[in-house]
């Protein structure tokens, strides 16, 4: 355990929301065990069957609407308030970091509560569950899509750039609840490590990043992260 000094970056994945009841993607009960990504989370799938894709997103939105932030989300919001140079990067689309009080969140994969018009490009928030109309339509008549990143699509460039910069200059990088299998997010901790940051992994199991980690906090994020942060605060 060392005193935290200098820029801190936290990268989160689905595991940080697991204890809130949001399903992860991989693992025994992961979404990708039951559904094929290419049927649901690609631009081709949406072009082929927007109703099917929207029904799946509507189901996920309903599940997430019943979930509350857990102690891991809350401690990350506390860290933001306590540390002068702190960046939270997430692959999650559930909005639970913001619900826990995190103010600045770099959302690499978008947000499930936003919709985007495939015709006029307008982006708006829509938190209704279930959606009254599937597929939902824009005021311009165009088809709306979830404002999330699908397989084969680029990440939002400005968000990604900020994430790269933060990763490249940080002294501490915490990687919480991600399988670190999806690019480019999985490269952020590698860049941080290469540039000399101390890498801390919080996960219930090993990932490809584990061999690079300077410290591994093994266990559910909602338990180990608050304990770790309390210990840091005592240093
Ligand atoms: P995954 O489902 O791939 O991985 C979840 C990770 O969380 C695994 O490494 C688990 O071991 C870990 N985990 C599970 N429960 C945990 C807990 N309570 N505490 C700590 N760790 C826990 O999710 P991601 O890595 O986020 O992309 O997946 C990355 C991307 O793949 C997602 O953003 C999504 C998906 O396809 C898109 O939709 C574009």
């Amino acid at each position: 355990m060392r005193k935290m000094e200098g820029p801190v970056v936290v990268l989160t994945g689905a595991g940080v929301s697991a204890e809130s009841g949001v399903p992860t993607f991989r693992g025994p009960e992961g979404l990708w065990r039951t559904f094929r990504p290419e049927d649901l989370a690609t631009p081709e799938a949406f072009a082929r069957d927007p109703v099917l894709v929207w029904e799946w997103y509507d189901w996920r939105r309903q599940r997430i609407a019943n979930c509350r932030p857990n102690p891991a989300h809350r401690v990350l919001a506390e860290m933001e308030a306590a540390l002068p140079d702190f960046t939270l990067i997430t692959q999650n689309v559930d909005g639970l970091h913001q619900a826990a009080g995190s103010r600045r969140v770099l959302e690499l994969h978008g947000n499930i509560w936003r919709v985007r018009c495939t015709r006029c490009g307008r982006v708006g928030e829509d938190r209704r569950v279930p959606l009254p109309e599937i597929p939902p339509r824009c005021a311009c008549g165009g088809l709306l899509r979830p404002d999330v990143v699908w397989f084969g699509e680029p990440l939002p460039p400005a968000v990604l750039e900020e994430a790269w910069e933060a990763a490249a200059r940080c002294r501490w990088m915490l990687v919480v609840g991600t399988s670190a299998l999806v690019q480019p997010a999985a490269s952020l901790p590698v860049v941080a490590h290469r540039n000399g940051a101390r890498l801390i992994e919080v996960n219930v199991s090993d990932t490809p990043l584990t061999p690079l980690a300077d410290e591994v906090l093994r266990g559910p994020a909602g338990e180990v992260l608050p304990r770790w942060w309390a210990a840091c605060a005592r240093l």
Side-chain angles (χ1 to χ4, degrees):
M1 171 111 328
R2 293 194 193 171
K3 193 170 170 57
M4 275 194 133
E5 270 159 349
V8 178
V9 171
V10 179
L11 171 68
T12 64
V16 80
S17 295
E19 289 153 84
S20 296
V22 182
T24 61
F25 293 93
R26 296 164 188 86
E29 285 169 38
L31 292 172
W32 297 149
R33 282 283 164 111
T34 322
F35 305 102
R36 291 175 358 136
E38 57 274 31
D39 290 341
L40 296 164
T42 61
E44 294 76 22
F46 189 66
R48 200 167 46 237
D49 196 343
V51 171
L52 176 73
V53 171
W54 262 117
E55 280 171 350
W56 189 62
Y57 275 92
D58 198 40
W59 171 77
R60 283 180 62 197
R61 286 161 55 104
Q62 289 181 53
R63 278 203 70 153
I64 295 169
N66 290 319
C67 296
R68 299 289 162 262
N70 68 58
H73 296 110
R74 287 198 288 274
V75 96
L76 292 173
E78 273 175 41
M79 285 174 72
E80 181 184 24
L83 298 169
D85 192 339
F86 178 87
T87 306
L88 178 58
I89 307 169
T90 190
Q91 297 164 85
N92 299 345
V93 297
D94 55 33
L96 287 178
H97 285 305
Q98 293 88 335
S102 285
R103 294 159 70 99
R104 206 169 68 87
V105 185
L106 299 181
E107 293 180 316
L108 293 176
H109 294 164
N111 189 298
I112 203 164
W113 301 111
R114 284 197 309 262
V115 291
R116 186 166 87 231
C117 181
T118 56
R119 187 192 286 170
C120 73
R122 193 185 67 86
V123 175
E125 193 182 85
D126 188 340
R127 290 189 165 261
R128 292 173 297 172
V129 283
L131 282 165
E133 179 198 18
I134 286 186
R137 297 214 164 257
C138 179
C140 80
L143 188 60
L144 290 169
R145 59 165 281 177
D147 191 26
V148 298
V149 175
W150 283 328
F151 288 99
E153 292 186 320
L155 274 59
V159 177
L160 185 59
E161 198 181 314
E162 234 185 296
W164 279 126
E165 278 172 13
R169 72 180 184 85
C170 70
R171 304 314 301 151
W172 295 76
M173 160 83 77
L174 270 83
V175 186
V176 185
T178 176
S179 58
L181 293 171
V182 174
Q183 294 295 351
S187 292
L188 294 166
V190 179
V191 166
H193 172 74
R194 239 186 248 146
N195 287 5
R198 187 170 171 80
L199 195 62
I200 303 175
E201 181 175 64
V202 181
N203 203 303
V204 289
S205 47
D206 275 6
T207 77
L209 286 179
T210 310
L212 294 184
D214 297 292
E215 212 176 313
V216 176
L217 306 178
R218 180 69 67 236
E223 292 172 25
V224 299
L225 207 50
R227 215 182 299 141
W228 177 84
W229 176 237
C232 280
R234 281 196 295 273
L235 287 177

